[in-house]
Amino acid sequence: IEAGATAVEIDVRTSQDGKLVIMHDAKVDRTTNASGRINDLTWAELAVLDAGSWFGANYASERIPSLDQVLQVCRGRIGIHLDLKEEGEEYADRVVASVKAYGEPTRTTAAVRTVEQARQLQKRMPEMKTLIFLRKKEQLDSFLEANVNYVRPQIAWIVKDPTLLTKIREGGAKIHLDATTGTP
C-alpha cells in the first residue's frame, strides 16, 4: 500500500476450526517457528506463531493474519487478489462471507482452481471478479464458457501461438500475465 500498488495478492487457507488465514504454503514449517499443516492447526494455535523471524529480526513480532484482518486493512486502500488454495462449497461460503463483511467485492478478484469453483463464486458474489491461472491450454474453452473475467495463460504458449490472446479476448476475458523477468 505504501509503495502505491493497485492490488495485493494473498493466499487463503482454512484452519482446523474454519478460520480463513493467509499463508502460501500448506504447512507453517518454512515461515514460522512451528511445524504442521494449516488445516490441522486451530486459529488460536496459528495466531500466536512467530511468522516473521525467518525473514529478519525486525519482523519477529509478525503473526499470521486472518483473511478478515487483511480485508479490513486493505478496504478503501488497495484491491485484493485472493489466491484460493482450497475448494468446496463451505470454503466458497466462508470466502464470500468474509469479503462481504470486511472487504470490497468490486475490488476483489478470486483466482480459482476449477470451472466449478468459478461458478460457485460467481453465483454467490457476481460483483467479484474471477481469474484462472491456466495450467493446461486444453482447459481454456471451459473457463471461457464459465465466464471467468481474467485468464492467465502460460507465456510460452503465447510465444508459440500469439492468436491465443485473440481467442481469450474474443471469449470475453481479459488477459492477466505474470511477468517475472522484467522483459517485454
Side-chain angles (χ1 to χ4, degrees):
I1 293 170
E2 290 171 5
T6 58
V8 59
E9 184 215 4
I10 56 175
D11 302 321
V12 184
R13 296 187 181 275
T14 309
S15 68
Q16 183 185 54
D17 51 349
K19 186 77 167 175
L20 294 174
V21 299
I22 308 308
M23 178 70 69
H24 177 273
D25 299 356
K27 295 181 176 183
V28 298
D29 302 38
R30 183 175 63 88
T31 58
T32 74
N33 60 331
S35 63
R37 296 183 56 77
I38 296 280
N39 302 127
D40 294 335
L41 299 167
T42 66
W43 171 240
E45 292 169 323
L46 292 165
V48 297
L49 298 181
D50 174 352
S53 290
W54 69 275
F55 193 73
N58 292 345
Y59 302 95
S61 64
E62 293 298 322
R63 301 290 177 235
I64 296 171
S66 70
L67 177 58
D68 295 350
Q69 291 169 333
V70 171
L71 290 170
Q72 289 174 60
V73 168
C74 295
R75 187 179 187 133
R77 301 171 73 195
I78 192 168
I80 301 276
H81 173 123
L82 304 174
D83 189 347
L84 302 180
K85 297 295 189 179
E86 300 172 20
E87 296 180 57
E89 297 276 347
E90 192 174 330
Y91 181 71
D93 288 340
R94 284 186 176 132
V95 168
V96 167
S98 199
V99 172
K100 281 182 180 177
Y102 302 105
E104 296 174 280
T106 59
R107 292 185 72 192
T108 303
T109 301
V112 298
R113 302 277 181 233
T114 64
V115 168
E116 180 182 355
Q117 188 176 39
R119 289 186 174 135
Q120 287 171 349
L121 293 169
Q122 291 163 345
K123 180 181 176 183
R124 287 164 171 79
M125 187 179 286
E127 64 272 31
M128 182 169 63
K129 304 286 189 265
T130 53
L131 160 70
I132 178 61
F133 300 145
L134 204 59
R135 304 287 187 231
K136 297 179 183 174
K137 196 165 32 171
E138 300 77 35
Q139 297 175 316
L140 177 60
D141 290 337
S142 297
F143 281 103
L144 291 175
E145 288 170 16
N147 296 312
V148 295
N149 302 98
Y150 300 96
V151 174
R152 181 192 287 178
Q154 302 291 319
I155 292 178
W157 302 342
I158 298 166
V159 171
K160 188 173 181 179
D161 180 11
T163 64
L164 184 63
L165 298 178
T166 303
K167 182 175 183 172
I168 293 169
R169 286 188 195 106
E170 288 176 353
K174 292 183 179 180
I175 296 154
H176 183 278
L177 294 178
D178 184 15
T180 56
T181 64
T183 62

